[in-house]
Amino acid sequence: MKTFNLAILITLTIINISCRKEHSIGTSKLAAASYTNVAYGSDPLQNMDVFLPEGRAVTTTKVIVLIHGGAWSSGDKTDMVQVVDSFKKRFPDYAIFNINYRLSANPANLFPTQENDTRAAMEFIYSKKTEYLISDKWALIGVSAGGHLAMLQGYKYNSPVIPKAIVSLSGPSDLTDMYQNPAGGSPLISALLISIVGKSPAQDPQLYFNSSPVNFITATSPPTLLLYGDVDPLVTPQQAMFVKDKLQAAGVANQNVLYVGSAHVDTWSNAVFNDAFQKIDIFLNAHVL
């Protein structure tokens, strides 16, 4: 009888140890992962870099989509490497997607190619939601032309997901006004818009209307943080005010920060960038819930 009881005790001990090991394995944190040049389309420029945090889950892992600038005609996601590094430190629990898009320098890729690519990238990311283990809590952050694309995506479309927040750093919001009232009265800015869109507002007013984020702001638009320089020779502070005023009228949370003595985002000092990152940190913590 004692031998039988000892055998049972040994068996139960082995089972208990085995169960605890399985439980330990099952609850261990998923390791962080990163993937470069992940294709979301057939063109070589339709790709993104993916940075997934440790311990991610579809119910909790928030998302930042980064969109580079370059006047819709140049630039690359590699321009955002330092931003990615800063955000990984500030937002260690976020998944970060740093996207590329086709550039209007190629005549076959005039606007709205960049708008369409941004939306395609968003749809691709969302289609990988269960694979990447990410939630519906997204923030879109764009620099210059990327700020324009972030606002256009966030205000114009309610799929594949409605962002919880948008951040625009020096992003144009009204292309018709940008053409008609360019910064400093420079005709070069108006000419640049024609080279990007292919036409003037007089030739195709609907295209300019459809390409301007400010025209799609409603009461359900995402909260927006606007970060601009007050002596920007490319994008006037008025472009931010158009958005702020319309968001205010619609009752949407927003913050407009104007950096005195600062020009376009690519020339900002370290002190201005540090302040901008701090404000982004606070804004996302308040709205991406």
Side-chain angles (χ1 to χ4, degrees), residues 72-86:
W72 305 276
S73 58
S74 64
D76 186 86
K77 59 183 170 61
T78 57
D79 299 339
M80 304 289 279
V81 168
Q82 289 184 325
V83 176
V84 170
D85 289 343
S86 294

Side-chain angles (χ1 to χ4, degrees), residues 80-160:
M80 304 289 279
V81 168
Q82 289 184 325
V83 176
V84 170
D85 289 343
S86 294
F87 283 175
K88 285 170 74 174
K89 293 174 183 175
R90 288 179 177 271
F91 305 104
D93 297 330
Y94 274 73
I96 300 174
F97 298 86
N98 186 18
I99 72 170
N100 261 344
Y101 48 86
R102 287 171 291 175
L103 303 172
S104 64
N106 181 340
N109 295 333
L110 296 180
F111 209 87
T113 296
Q114 297 71 41
E115 173 187 344
N116 295 337
D117 279 3
T118 301
R119 189 176 185 193
M122 296 267 291
E123 290 173 344
F124 173 84
I125 295 168
Y126 193 80
S127 74
K128 298 286 188 179
K129 180 182 175 184
T130 55
E131 178 181 335
Y132 289 151
L133 297 175
I134 55 175
S135 73
D136 289 342
K137 302 169 184 177
W138 293 28
L140 307 184
I141 302 177
V143 175
S144 191
H148 164 267
L149 293 172
M151 290 189 290
L152 192 60
Q153 171 65 42
Y155 300 153
K156 190 173 181 179
Y157 302 103
N158 59 13
S159 66

Side-chain angles (χ1 to χ4, degrees), residues 229-241:
D230 75 331
V231 290
D232 192 326
L234 300 175
V235 179
T236 66
Q238 188 63 30
Q239 291 286 319
M241 290 303 300

